[in-house]
Amino acid sequence: MKRMRSLRIVATLGPASSEPDTIAAMFDAGVDVFRLNMSHGDKDVVRRLHGIIRDVEESYRRPIGILADLQGPKLRVGTFSDGSEELRAGDRFRLDLDPAQGDRKRVCLPHREVYDAVAAGQTLLVNDGKIRLHVVDTGQDYIDCEIIEGGVISARKGVNVPDAELPLPALSAKDREDLECACELGVDWLALSFVQRREDVEEARRLADSRAAVMTKVEKPLAVERFDDILDASDGIMIARGDLGVELPIHKVPPIQKRLIRKCRAAAKPVIVATQMLESMIEASTPTRAEVSDVATAIYEGADAVMLSAESAVGKYPVQSVTTMQNVACSVESDLTYRQVIDASRRGERTTIPDSITLAAREIAETTEVKAICCFTHSGATARLVARERPGVPILVLTPFARIARRLSLLWGGHCVPTKSVGTFDTAVESAIETARAEGLAETGDNIVITAGVPFNVSGSTNIVQVATINTENEDDALNE
């Protein structure tokens, strides 16, 4: 099976998509990576879903990526004596450490770190930003606020602190347990929630110990401000527009999305655009035109992947949601304007030999009759560099490691095939030709571009680019320097 598009599709599993037949149908419809939300479901549920995905992978004989999304630290208010309260604009409201049940004047916020970080003049957001509080005064155990935007507040609603850096680690005790469980299962990606600083990412990398790649979710203003540093420490980025749109004015999110996608592409690191992409399909069998345009915009901007959240996890139409993503991607990528936009956004500067080799591979593919670019990769670095170029032909990724093939299932344009290790370039050419033919990417008489590093099996050593012509199976294939 090969996808007829370069965009990758990530889909979240949940109650609506937890059965083997549904998961298989979602993969058949276009899912490349399945997301397991560690905020919901116990470890037995996660283990079961992981096993089903691997069974589907075996059935289709195609690498499937698995992304475990860690919950991250959550700030929540306590309970209310009447269950909920109506907060009215202009009134005062206090958050404190008193565990007593709340009322319309106050409620417990049992997170001492917040009291040390918040200052007068800052903003607090409750219930996904529906309630907006202006901080008037603070003490060691209280925060007095004026209600700017009111609404109904009830037990355990979340609190966002957009204006302050909280002395909270990105990994809670639960996250550490979930991380270890996910790595023991063999997931391919770990997504970190509510990252504020580079050190948060480095801590997760230390705990993962190369067992999974680390993806940073950009959800907080601080992560946007420190993005270059955070990107450098990360293997990939998820632009989580839900929380980002709560903590920042919502009109600022689109330009941030565009800017971060370009930075990720320049760094040759995969980037996912996520949250509310087809939100109406939770209940409806077709999306709105605005949602389709939103998905299309992410594709035109050069994102590696788009993600379904509630649409596929709890929605009524999980398979149809994937099909919609697939159809939008195929439509956009067949548009002549798409290539013009992608090519115009390409950054030309290259500083290393691998940079130059992959640039040459793309230029050869653009100026000659080439059906595919085939890259051999040990760590995934070569494949990421080729994908950064956004070539107009498929990228055939050959790697001796199943875990790398699964990880690269998130990569723009990548068609990943686990293969045997090769020791010489001649053997690599034979393997590339055989695989391109078997996978339906090239036929007799076609040319393919091959990139590799000599010596083989050394990460970051890409130093060869060649063009090979596929002859009949009983003839020697021609190698053109």
Side-chain angles (χ1 to χ4, degrees):
M1 173 186 286
K2 62 178 183 295
R3 304 297 189 199
M4 303 306 294
R5 52 171 164 77
S6 296
L7 180 81
R8 307 292 89 172
I9 296 175
V10 182
T12 306
L13 296 182
S17 52
S18 61
E19 295 305 314
D21 288 349
T22 304
I23 294 173
M26 290 170 68
F27 176 74
D28 194 51
V31 173
D32 302 289
V33 177
F34 286 101
R35 172 178 174 251
L36 306 179
N37 190 346
M38 307 300 283
S39 300
H40 309 294
D42 58 25
K43 293 182 177 61
D44 289 338
V45 172
V46 171
R47 292 187 185 95
R48 175 179 172 274
L49 292 174
H50 181 277
I52 293 172
I53 295 167
R54 290 297 177 234
D55 288 343
V56 172
E57 179 182 69
E58 178 64 25
S59 175
Y60 280 86
R61 301 179 65 84
R62 178 62 54 209
I64 301 176
I66 300 179
L67 168 70
D69 197 333
L70 303 177
Q71 176 177 282
K74 292 287 187 180
L75 304 179
R76 299 186 185 277
V77 300
T79 59
F80 291 83
S81 56
D82 291 334
S84 64
E85 293 287 347
E86 176 81 25
L87 301 188
R88 298 175 181 173
D91 289 349
R92 292 296 183 95
F93 192 73
R94 169 173 282 199
L95 302 168
D96 57 39
L97 290 172
D98 183 352
Q101 290 190 321
D103 53 34
R104 67 184 185 87
K105 294 291 186 181
R106 60 153 298 277
V107 73
C108 179
L109 180 64
H111 303 281
R112 183 172 292 276
E113 301 89 346
V114 178
Y115 299 87
D116 295 330
V118 170
Q122 294 181 342
T123 298
L124 299 180
L125 305 169
V126 184
N127 193 13
D128 292 331
K130 295 181 178 66
I131 296 173
R132 183 177 296 269
L133 307 175
H134 176 76
V135 178
V136 177
D137 188 25
T138 65
Q140 292 184 343
D141 58 359
Y142 70 89
I143 302 173
D144 284 337
C145 304
E146 179 185 357
I147 302 169
I148 304 301
E149 295 180 20
V152 176
I153 184 172
S154 56
R156 311 299 181 193
K157 289 302 181 182
V159 177
N160 292 77
V161 186
D163 299 333
E165 180 175 359
L166 299 177
L168 291 170
L171 295 172
S172 65
K174 168 182 165 52
D175 292 326
R176 291 169 180 267
E177 292 180 6
D178 289 345
L179 182 151
E180 188 58 33
C181 172
C183 286
E184 287 177 357
L185 283 174
V187 304
D188 309 296
W189 288 88
L190 293 167
L192 303 184
S193 300
F194 302 109
V195 169
Q196 298 184 94
R197 56 189 76 86
R198 179 192 182 100
E199 290 75 13
D200 295 334
V201 184
E202 292 174 339
E203 174 69 2
R205 294 181 71 90
R206 184 185 66 80
L207 294 173
D209 193 24
S210 301
R211 292 175 292 174
V214 175
M215 173 168 292
T216 298
K217 295 167 67 177
V218 177
E219 302 171 283
K220 298 185 71 63
L222 277 174
V224 176
E225 291 175 19
R226 300 167 176 174
F227 184 73
D228 290 350
D229 211 24
I230 288 173
L231 175 62
D232 183 61
S234 306
D235 296 306
I237 294 292
M238 181 190 297
I239 305 173
R241 305 175 305 173
D243 279 284
L244 194 60
V246 169
E247 298 213 0
L248 284 169
I250 198 165
H251 59 270
K252 291 189 176 182
V253 174
I256 288 173
Q257 173 179 311
K258 184 180 292 289
R259 186 167 70 250
L260 300 195
I261 288 174
R262 290 200 173 191
K263 290 190 175 212
C264 290
R265 182 177 166 191
K269 294 185 178 182
V271 55
I272 302 172
V273 176
T275 318
Q276 297 178 332
M277 302 212 78
L278 297 176
E279 186 83 354
S280 66
M281 291 194 75
I282 296 173
E283 297 291 338
S285 60
T286 57
T288 67
R289 291 166 180 80
E291 289 168 340
V292 170
S293 293
D294 183 37
V295 175
T297 295
I299 301 170
Y300 277 113
E301 289 172 346
D304 289 80
V306 291
M307 192 176 92
L308 295 166
S309 300
E311 305 95 327
S312 58
V314 299
K316 295 179 180 178
Y317 305 97
V319 178
Q320 292 93 322
S321 296
V322 177
T323 301
T324 298
M325 288 283 203
Q326 163 94 356
N327 291 341
V328 174
C330 290
S331 178
V332 169
E333 292 181 15
S334 65
D335 176 24
L336 292 176
T337 306
Y338 172 72
R339 286 308 320 174
Q340 294 170 358
V341 172
I342 290 296
D343 293 345
S345 64
R346 185 180 289 123
R347 295 175 60 174
E349 65 268 21
R350 299 292 182 261
T351 59
T352 68
I353 291 175
D355 285 343
S356 300
I357 291 293
T358 52
L359 171 61
R362 190 260 299 167
E363 290 180 337
I364 291 169
E366 287 181 346
T367 55
T368 60
E369 290 294 325
V370 167
K371 294 297 183 180
I373 297 175
C374 177
C375 57
F376 288 83
T377 186
H378 186 78
S379 65
T382 301
R384 292 195 304 272
L385 290 176
V386 173
R388 175 177 66 182
E389 296 298 327
R390 299 294 192 261
V393 297
I395 304 169
L396 176 59
V397 181
L398 299 181
T399 177
F401 304 111
R403 63 183 181 87
I404 297 298
R406 290 166 174 162
R407 190 176 298 178
L408 293 175
S409 60
L410 188 60
L411 191 68
W412 185 97
H415 181 73
C416 304
V417 180
T419 188
K420 295 179 181 179
S421 295
V422 294
T424 67
F425 189 69
D426 286 346
T427 306
V429 171
E430 293 173 3
S431 178
I433 289 172
E434 178 183 343
T435 307
R437 182 185 277 134
E439 296 293 319
L441 296 176
E443 300 175 349
T444 300
D446 290 336
N447 292 327
I448 61 173
V449 177
I450 301 170
T451 66
V454 177
F456 281 90
N457 303 323
V458 176
S459 299
S461 63
T462 306
N463 55 14
I464 290 179
V465 58
Q466 297 277 18
V467 178
T469 302
I470 300 178
N471 292 324
T472 57
E473 294 189 36
N474 59 355
E475 293 181 4
D476 290 335
D477 294 290
L479 185 65
N480 305 309
E481 297 190 9

